[in-house]
Amino acid sequence: MIELKTPAEIEAMRPAGAFVAGVLEALRAAAAVGVNLLDLDALAHQMIREASAESCYIDYHPSFGASPFGKVLCTSVNDAVLHGLPHDYRLKDGDLLSVDFAASINGWVADSALSVVVGRAREGDERLIEATERALDRAIETAVVGNKLGDISAAIGAVAAGYGYRVNTDFGGHGVGRTMHGEPHVPNNGRAGRGLPLRAGLVIAIEPWFITGTDEIYTDPDGWTLRSADGSRGAHSEHTLAITSDGPIVLTAR
Ligand code: MG
């Protein structure tokens, strides 16, 4: 079922959005050569405690997961693109790091992600990140009352195609509310003018992620981390936004 939020409920979601935005800014600032992924997870966990927020990840145990996630952050490095399980790894010069973070405050969830190059960028990495950010921007512009869900998906797919990237539609955006993953699914490619009519009160996470060389992924032996089939690199950008009669409100704006 798709739940529409009242204007008061959307207002009540703002603290979670601002908190998630602040954690991602702190992680962006902290990500540097030599920093361990476990330290980044610990930083986010500390911020959760200080804000009396709740992690959406630590107890997350979907049917495809081998066990509860156990961390508060997804850290996906280089050929890892989504759901990266933080592990004992020190970031190296030129690593492409994607961090995905979701937490709730007062029972309302926000979910957001960004990608960053640590140290000196390798050829193509900044372009890849730019593509996901531009796709997210275009998708947000499209998230207005009167459009269809397919318009958002088509906007993302068009940006990917413009950069020459293929799109995997198995994992994409989703409804956000009192839980992290609700309906509707928001695919990262689709047909304009099709699908669910966008109405005021719809709160969704939009999350374009692209890989340079392929649209195929596989699950790492850790049971969580999704990696590109050909070893090429991935990037990921995500915001949670509310569709309103006055236009989209990006709850996780940084
Ligand atoms: Mg996310």
Side-chain angles (χ1 to χ4, degrees):
M1 192 180 75
I2 295 166
E3 282 185 13
L4 299 177
K5 275 74 176 177
T6 66
E9 286 174 329
I10 290 169
E11 285 304 304
M13 296 183 80
R14 285 185 184 271
F19 171 70
V20 166
V23 171
L24 283 177
E25 283 295 7
L27 292 167
R28 186 205 291 274
V33 174
V35 171
N36 198 303
L37 298 179
L38 296 175
D39 296 334
L40 295 178
D41 185 70
L43 169 63
H45 210 159
Q46 177 64 22
M47 292 181 77
I48 285 174
R49 284 190 211 96
E50 286 168 4
S52 298
E54 270 189 54
S55 171
C56 296
Y57 290 174
I58 198 158
D59 297 324
Y60 188 59
H61 190 182
S63 54
F64 61 83
S67 57
F69 192 69
K71 304 292 184 206
V72 301
L73 193 65
C74 290
T75 53
S76 304
V77 179
N78 298 337
D79 65 313
V81 63
L82 293 176
H83 303 171
L85 182 65
H87 59 286
D88 183 11
Y89 174 82
R90 291 191 181 281
L91 291 166
K92 296 186 178 75
D93 190 40
D95 276 350
L96 196 175
L97 169 69
S98 299
V99 289
D100 192 345
F101 180 70
S104 67
I105 289 182
N106 299 328
W108 293 105
V109 171
D111 187 359
S112 186
L114 59 78
S115 291
V116 65
V117 172
V118 178
R120 288 162 296 181
R122 277 173 46 164
E123 168 113 32
D125 284 354
E126 284 173 335
R127 181 176 186 271
L128 176 64
I129 294 171
E130 176 190 270
T132 65
E133 291 175 346
R134 194 163 287 178
L136 180 55
D137 288 345
R138 287 293 302 115
I140 291 169
E141 288 167 17
T142 309
V144 295
V145 174
N147 277 351
K148 303 277 179 62
L149 196 65
D151 293 313
I152 293 175
S153 299
I156 294 168
V159 172
Y163 278 82
Y165 304 136
R166 283 198 294 264
V167 178
N168 176 307
T169 53
D170 292 344
F171 295 90
H174 47 87
V176 176
R178 294 201 175 270
T179 59
M180 177 168 60
H181 289 141
E183 292 181 48
H185 175 59
V186 186
N188 284 336
N189 204 359
R191 293 174 69 180
R194 299 296 185 93
L196 180 80
L198 302 180
R199 292 172 60 189
L202 186 64
V203 178
I204 52 175
I206 299 178
E207 49 178 317
W209 60 275
F210 307 141
I211 304 168
T212 51
T214 181
D215 57 359
E216 291 182 37
I217 53 178
Y218 71 95
T219 306
D220 183 276
D222 71 14
W224 291 97
T225 307
L226 298 178
R227 298 183 181 278
S228 68
D230 65 354
S232 63
R233 293 171 164 225
H236 182 203
S237 293
E238 177 180 19
H239 275 308
T240 296
L241 57 120
I243 296 170
T244 79
S245 50
D246 296 325
I249 298 171
V250 181
L251 295 165
T252 49
R254 296 186 285 270

